Amino acid sequence: ILTMSNRSRQTRSNATNGLTLVELLIGLVIISIVMIAGVSLVLSSLRTGSRIETFLRLQSKWSLFQYLLNNEIQESISASTGNGTISLSIPYGDPPSCTTLVSYSLSGGTISRSGPDVNADGSLAIPSSSTCTSVTATTQALLTSVTTFTTSIDTSSSQRVSYSLSFNDPTGVSFTNKATSSMGSARIIN
């Protein structure tokens, strides 16, 4: 009787030392579910980060375009708009008695700027003499993948120019914004 009791204890202790096949399979299923959820979370985070990076890049392009256009609107003494184009008359000379034309236009999904070059300090590359001389105009592509570029002049105050712009990134992310700027008085531009 004594040997039977020891044997039965030994069988019970061997059963509690290991895992059954069912317990092992359940553990593998739980680990697999947790890993799939983790991978899904990481992939989702990467996609979100990529979209945010693309949006910030588009916003940066908008900011540079807006900075250039707003500065030239503020330098101008008159403007005209129509068909995705804005033309600005910018005074120059010493005193500023001459004008040069700067225009922004949308054609084939690209916004181009036509007018005198812009120097590294942001000023226009135009003569500063008192006589009106011809200004060399160049055309530069500023933005591509543009879907809309609308411009208008406020009829209640002919000094306010509004514009809106929509453009896309090759990944399909789109960006739309609008701005208003006021034309300034004639200033000396170097």
Side-chain angles (χ1 to χ4, degrees):
I1 283 190
L2 187 59
T3 56
M4 191 67 132
S5 147
N6 283 339
R7 215 181 250 181
S8 121
R9 280 189 200 147
Q10 189 178 18
T11 306
R12 272 188 246 151
S13 68
N14 282 344
T16 58
N17 285 339
L19 296 173
T20 65
L21 183 58
V22 172
E23 291 170 333
L24 186 61
L25 289 174
I26 290 172
L28 285 173
V29 167
I30 291 172
I31 289 172
S32 297
I33 291 171
V34 169
M35 289 188 67
I36 289 171
V39 167
S40 176
L41 182 64
V42 167
L43 290 176
S44 175
S45 177
L46 288 173
R47 280 190 298 268
T48 301
S50 176
R51 290 183 77 70
I52 289 172
E53 181 181 323
T54 300
F55 180 78
L56 291 174
R57 187 173 46 254
L58 291 175
Q59 190 173 26
S60 176
K61 286 181 180 183
W62 159 259
S63 294
L64 291 172
F65 174 78
Q66 180 186 19
Y67 177 77
L68 181 62
L69 182 54
N70 280 351
N71 281 343
E72 291 186 333
I73 289 171
Q74 291 167 5
E75 295 285 342
S76 70
I77 56 173
S78 67
S80 62
T81 62
N83 295 332
T85 299
I86 181 168
S87 298
L88 306 166
S89 293
I90 299 179
Y92 71 95
D94 188 14
S97 58
C98 309
T99 59
T100 187
L101 186 66
V102 174
S103 65
Y104 292 79
S105 60
L106 173 62
S107 177
T110 299
I111 290 188
S112 298
R113 177 192 175 276
S114 181
D117 287 333
V118 178
N119 295 323
D121 65 357
S123 65
L124 295 178
I126 53 180
S128 59
S129 67
S130 59
T131 60
C132 296
T133 58
S134 66
V135 176
T136 304
T138 59
T139 301
Q140 303 157 332
L142 298 178
L143 289 173
T144 58
S145 301
V146 178
T147 54
T148 59
F149 177 54
T150 58
T151 58
S152 64
I153 299 175
D154 187 351
T155 55
S156 64
S157 166
S158 61
Q159 297 294 309
R160 295 183 61 78
V161 178
S162 298
Y163 56 94
S164 65
L165 178 69
S166 297
F167 58 103
N168 299 316
D169 184 80
T171 62
V173 177
S174 63
F175 185 87
T176 301
N177 213 337
K178 58 184 174 181
T180 300
S181 188
S182 296
M183 288 184 278
S185 58
R187 300 188 301 198
I188 298 172
I189 305 168
N190 293 326

